[in-house]
Amino acid sequence: MTDLWQNAMDHAVALAKKAGSLVRDAVQNDMKVMLKSSSVDLVTKTDQMVEQLIIDSVKEKFPTHSFIGEESVAAGEPCVLTDNPTWIVDPVDGTTNFVHGYPFVAVSIGFAVNRKLEFGVVYSCIEDKMYTARKGKGAFCNGLLLNVSDQKEISQSIIATEFGSNRDTEVVDKIFSSMRKILCLPIHGIRGVGTAATNMCLVASGCVEAYYEIGIHCWDIAAGAIIVTEAGGVLMDVDGGPLDLMSRRVVAANNKIIAESIVKEIDAFTPLRDDAPPETKD
Ligand code: LIP
């Protein structure tokens, strides 16, 4: 079994490289932008083409494995995590960045067995940074070992977050309220590069202490989650409970002290779960 997952991880790295080079080539050329859940939830031909390339290759090499992909789910495929080995894929994390030529775009491939993450691969393709982690084996960027920051003082920390793609004023008010409270703790600063996967890799790299967001999806965070824990970090829900990949809420931090300091300030809300029955989704 162990060798099989290593084989799958090697394949994920190769796929992420190939996908990343397609994404890099398409930046600023592929301007065919389409809309998904709202006028700010964007998708391009490249997202769809890259996801199809990954699915086809995974199906050929690992025909019994399951697949959850951002664009397949958008096209009506189920989003349910079972015990079966499952690839959880965001072909272009940071689609808005991609469309605008803002230079942070990642291919994110997480892999879970028995609903537990076994490995994660995030390729920040404009920067040419390949982040990888395998359960129990550490996290790496371009082959160099990653460690989270050892900072324990929230007042000495940088926190990453995003505004997401929900523009309901109630939701936007909560996002700003949380940010305001966290900023005024005070902390050194708030950052966000427009891709959840890359934000999580920055936590793993030790240059931001934590990342939190409500409204992300399992494909945005699956790979980054194991990269954070393998770099020594912690994951939790925004209410301080255990992370639930399908809940669309995440706190990833260098340690529990920093994670809990943030949790106290977040005005939590509960988006519709990724695995909610299709008839409950718009
Ligand atoms: C995006 C995330 C980003 C988040 C957006 C969106 P996409 O993923 O990575 O951090 O704020 O809501 O989910 O749609 O570019 O794959």
Side-chain angles (χ1 to χ4, degrees), residues 2-282:
T2 310
D3 282 341
L4 182 60
W5 305 153
Q6 185 59 50
N7 196 7
M9 179 160 165
D10 293 343
H11 192 62
V13 171
L15 276 176
K17 254 189 211 150
K18 189 168 178 186
S21 106
L22 291 172
V23 172
R24 222 171 18 233
D25 290 350
V27 170
Q28 286 182 318
N29 292 324
D30 178 358
M31 279 303 157
K32 192 160 170 28
V33 182
M34 295 159 281
L35 307 181
K36 293 199 288 188
S37 63
S38 73
S39 64
V40 296
D41 186 8
L42 313 180
V43 63
T44 70
K45 284 275 172 225
T46 301
D47 300 57
Q48 294 167 338
M49 185 258 291
V50 170
E51 182 159 319
Q52 198 55 52
L53 174 140
I54 297 173
I55 297 179
D56 291 347
S57 175
V58 168
K59 276 192 177 155
E60 195 188 326
K61 205 160 166 73
F62 305 100
T64 60
H65 290 189
S66 303
F67 194 90
I68 295 174
E70 174 169 19
E71 306 317 331
S72 314
V73 172
E77 290 293 321
C79 183
V80 180
L81 187 58
T82 66
D83 287 345
N84 202 44
T86 303
W87 296 64
I88 307 169
V89 174
D90 189 341
V92 181
D93 189 42
T95 302
T96 304
N97 288 353
F98 172 74
V99 165
H100 289 266
Y102 191 84
F104 295 94
V105 182
V107 179
S108 175
I109 305 179
F111 180 77
V113 181
N114 294 322
R115 298 166 213 244
K116 300 259 182 291
L117 291 162
E118 280 289 333
F119 68 73
V121 173
V122 171
Y123 182 41
S124 181
C125 56
I126 315 290
E127 305 177 281
D128 192 19
K129 287 188 175 171
M130 180 69 76
Y131 296 92
T132 57
R134 177 141 187 260
K135 193 158 78 189
K137 302 251 159 106
F140 299 84
C141 177
N142 292 347
L144 295 176
L145 187 67
L146 296 178
N147 283 298
V148 293
S149 148
D150 59 8
Q151 185 56 253
K152 293 190 177 68
E153 299 291 335
I154 188 73
S155 62
Q156 308 289 306
S157 299
I158 290 185
I159 306 302
T161 191
E162 299 286 340
F163 295 102
S165 57
N166 188 324
R167 297 293 181 267
D168 292 349
T169 49
E170 264 179 37
V171 166
V172 173
D173 284 349
K174 280 183 188 268
I175 290 171
F176 273 101
S177 159
S178 305
M179 275 192 188
R180 182 179 187 280
K181 287 194 272 174
I182 290 168
L183 192 61
C184 295
L185 280 169
I187 58 170
H188 277 179
I190 289 190
R191 299 287 184 273
V193 292
T195 112
T198 307
N199 284 326
M200 294 178 94
C201 291
L202 293 174
V203 175
S205 305
C207 52
V208 306
E209 274 63 37
Y211 157 71
Y212 74 92
E213 190 170 349
I214 303 178
I216 36 74
H217 297 274
C218 58
W219 46 80
D220 298 316
I221 61 166
I226 187 161
I227 293 171
V228 167
T229 52
E230 285 299 320
V234 300
L235 302 167
M236 57 179 73
D237 183 76
V238 295
D239 67 4
L243 175 75
D244 173 347
L245 260 191
M246 294 289 155
S247 72
R248 304 185 56 198
R249 314 181 339 158
V250 66
V251 177
N254 60 334
N255 59 47
K256 222 171 153 218
I257 301 169
I258 297 292
E260 285 172 350
S261 311
I262 296 169
V263 160
K264 276 193 226 142
E265 310 301 330
I266 296 177
D267 277 338
F269 55 95
T270 309
L272 197 61
R273 295 176 59 82
D274 276 334
D275 54 5
E279 61 275 15
T280 61
K281 297 184 178 172
D282 309 334

